[in-house]
Amino acid sequence: MSSLFQSEKLEILFDRATMQERLQELADEVCQDHATIEKPLVVIGVLKGAALIMSDLVRMLDRPVEMDFIRCASYHGGTESSGEIELLLDVSMDLRGRHVLVVEDIIDTGLTIKFVLEHLESKGAESVKLLSLLEKPTKNTSGVHGDYVGYEINDHFVVGYGLDLKEELRNLPFVGVCKDTSVVG
Ligand code: 5GP
C-alpha cells in the first residue's frame, strides 16, 4: 500500500508543529477569557472532524474542563455541502448556566455550526463561544464566525488533522490541500 503522506496529490498547508503552535495560542486566549468562571468550562467537540483538534486542545487548556460531543451530518461523504443539517448525536450534559466552548474543524458555508450553536444555546447555556481551527470566508453565507480561529484559508478542499475525504485521511498529521479527490475510494 502506498503512503498518502508523501503523495504528490496532497499539498501540505499547515504542518503539525504549526497547527499545534496556533492551537496553543488559541488555548491561552480561551483560558484568559474564561479566567473568572468558577465551574469547569464545557468543551464540546463537533464530531467527527473536531475529534483530533479537541484531544490536542483540551490538553493545552490550563484550567478545569468537562468534555462532551455532538454530531451532525451535512456533507454525506462528498466534497460539497448538502445544505441540510441533521442531528445524529446530541450532548449528554445539562448545559443550563454553564459556559461552553464549541470546537469545530472548519467553517465553510457556516450552516452546520449555525445549527449547532442555535441548538446548544436553546439548552440554556450561560455563554457559548466557538473555536474553529479553519475558516473559509468566501462561501460563508451564515454570518457565523469563530470567536477563536486558527487560520483563514482559500476555498480549497482540505484534509488531515481530523478532516476527512470519504472518511479517510483524518489521521494525516498535517492539514493538506487535496488536489485530486480520487486519492481515496
Ligand atoms: P459548512 O456547514 O460550514 O458548509 O460545512 C462544515 C462541515 O463541512 C465541516 O465541519 C466539515 O465536516 C465539512 N467541510 C467543509 N469544508 C471542508 C473541507 O475543505 N474539507 C473537509 N474534509 N471537510 C470540509
Side-chain angles (χ1 to χ4, degrees), residues 74-75 81 85 104-113 136 156-159 163-165:
S74 62
Y75 261 64
S81 175
I85 319 296
E104 175 66 306
D105 53 359
I106 187 164
I107 302 173
D108 187 4
T109 64
L111 296 173
T112 307
I113 203 62
K136 292 184 197 170
H156 300 302
F157 190 77
V158 290
V159 293
L163 288 144
D164 75 311
L165 173 61

Side-chain angles (χ1 to χ4, degrees), residues 6-90:
Q6 282 94 40
S7 170
E8 70 285 354
K9 292 174 180 172
L10 290 171
E11 179 192 313
I12 297 180
L13 203 52
F14 304 110
D15 65 20
R16 186 179 201 164
T18 305
M19 296 300 332
Q20 296 205 327
E21 231 171 81
R22 184 68 188 124
L23 260 190
Q24 184 64 64
E25 289 172 359
L26 297 181
D28 293 345
E29 262 185 68
V30 168
C31 285
Q32 262 175 23
D33 293 351
H34 296 84
T36 57
I37 69 169
E38 282 173 16
K39 286 189 185 161
L41 177 66
V42 180
V43 185
I44 299 178
V46 183
L47 293 173
K48 300 177 190 174
L52 276 67
I53 302 158
M54 176 97 167
S55 87
D56 279 349
L57 178 77
V58 291
R59 285 176 288 180
M60 294 172 181
L61 289 170
D62 187 18
R63 58 153 301 114
V65 300
E66 292 175 20
M67 291 168 61
D68 208 336
F69 293 94
I70 190 166
R71 187 172 169 210
C72 310
S74 62
Y75 261 64
H76 306 294
T79 60
E80 290 294 324
S81 175
S82 67
E84 279 173 42
I85 319 296
E86 190 188 345
L87 186 65
L88 299 181
L89 172 77
D90 204 353

Side-chain angles (χ1 to χ4, degrees), residues 3 19 47 63 106 126 128-129 134 141 147 159 165 173:
S3 171
M19 296 300 332
L47 293 173
R63 58 153 301 114
I106 187 164
E126 174 83 21
V128 181
K129 296 272 191 204
L134 301 170
T141 52
D147 299 290
V159 293
L165 173 61

